[in-house]
Amino acid sequence: MPAEFSLRRADAADLPAIATVLIQARAAAVPAMPPAAHDADATVAWVQGWDLAEREVWVAEAGSGDGVVGFLALTPTWLDHLYVAPAAQRHGVGSALLDVALATRPRGFGLWVFETNEPARRFYRQAGLIELERTDGSENEEGAPDIRVVWPGERPLEFLRSEIDQVDGLLADLLARRVALTAAVQVRKPVGGQAGRDPVREREIADRMAARVPALGPERVARIVDAIITESLDATHR
């Protein structure tokens, strides 16, 4: 791999080479990444169908005439893909492509990375990106746990507060559902209100939740669960 490469916006003629880079990079990353969910032919067909008017794609092109050795695909708020051909890795291509994303998305963006892909996670951490959310992988095609990573942009406090606002909205909706369910349960229990609480069940609830929020730990989650149940019962029995 030569030391020199250039970056430019992709055009339709680059799509077959982009598909090749994607296929080779994904295959070389196993087992850090799970195997691709689609075969090579399906991947080529999918990439060749990209609308470059809607998807901003950049390529890294080797100065030696080796052609496209890496690419970056962006939407207004997401980094969808960043891949470098195996032979071109550890030569600064990935960092240069990521710099394009940082420069062209000053308000920030998000991306997903597989939890097992420690090289990619380290790459993004070193560039200042932040891991914010983990999933069990049930929503991706590979069925593998993944992590949402964000670049908070030039105004990180504003960006992260907007993330908090979104989470607070979700929490409010869930609390409303929890209160409604508590009210529905109360009329079907032989003993209602605070007197009818079941400590064993509440501990089971807290333990299940704590397993999904390891950063808080069981005791903190147990206190949160207790507060939610106490206040939901209080609201129900006013």
Side-chain angles (χ1 to χ4, degrees), residues 88-107:
Q89 293 175 7
R90 290 175 290 279
H91 290 273
V93 176
S95 295
L97 288 167
L98 182 58
D99 284 344
V100 172
L102 301 180
T104 59
R105 299 295 185 273
R107 298 180 64 181

Side-chain angles (χ1 to χ4, degrees), residues 23-35 83 86 89 116-117 119:
I23 292 164
Q24 292 178 347
R26 283 296 306 265
V30 176
M33 292 178 69
Y83 288 99
Q89 293 175 7
T116 54
N117 194 356

Side-chain angles (χ1 to χ4, degrees), residues 6-209:
S6 59
L7 304 178
R8 60 173 174 80
R9 288 287 294 268
D11 57 39
D14 296 311
L15 293 177
I18 288 171
T20 297
V21 170
L22 174 57
I23 292 164
Q24 292 178 347
R26 283 296 306 265
V30 176
M33 292 178 69
H38 302 281
D39 64 22
D41 289 342
T43 299
V44 170
W46 173 62
V47 172
Q48 290 185 330
W50 286 1
D51 184 348
L52 297 182
E54 296 181 358
R55 189 190 303 256
E56 182 177 340
V57 181
W58 290 73
V59 294
E61 197 168 38
S64 61
D66 288 337
V68 172
V69 294
F71 75 95
L72 169 78
L74 294 161
T75 69
T77 57
W78 288 94
L79 192 165
D80 283 344
H81 306 284
L82 196 168
Y83 288 99
V84 178
Q89 293 175 7
R90 290 175 290 279
H91 290 273
V93 176
S95 295
L97 288 167
L98 182 58
D99 284 344
V100 172
L102 301 180
T104 59
R105 299 295 185 273
R107 298 180 64 181
F109 59 82
L111 63 103
W112 290 96
V113 61
F114 289 108
E115 187 174 18
T116 54
N117 194 356
E118 182 54 39
R121 293 173 61 187
R122 183 169 56 250
F123 170 74
Y124 291 120
R125 284 197 301 268
Q126 290 173 346
L129 280 71
I130 304 167
E131 295 183 353
L132 284 189
E133 175 187 353
R134 284 170 167 76
T135 82
D136 63 3
S138 59
E139 298 299 319
N140 63 54
E141 292 182 313
E142 292 81 2
D146 54 5
I147 298 173
R148 186 168 70 95
V149 180
V150 301
W151 160 243
E154 295 177 348
R155 298 181 178 179
L157 184 59
E158 179 180 314
F159 181 95
L160 294 171
R161 280 179 170 168
S162 71
E163 291 280 317
I164 290 173
D165 290 344
Q166 292 178 40
V167 172
D168 287 346
L170 295 172
L171 286 173
D173 290 340
L174 291 173
L175 287 171
R177 288 175 59 190
R178 189 62 164 83
V179 172
L181 287 166
T182 298
V185 165
Q186 291 306 296
V187 298
R188 291 164 175 81
K189 292 180 68 173
V191 179
Q194 302 292 343
R197 293 179 65 165
D198 182 346
V200 174
R201 173 169 165 74
E202 290 180 18
R203 171 51 69 178
E204 291 173 350
I205 293 170
D207 288 345
R208 287 199 303 270
M209 293 177 67

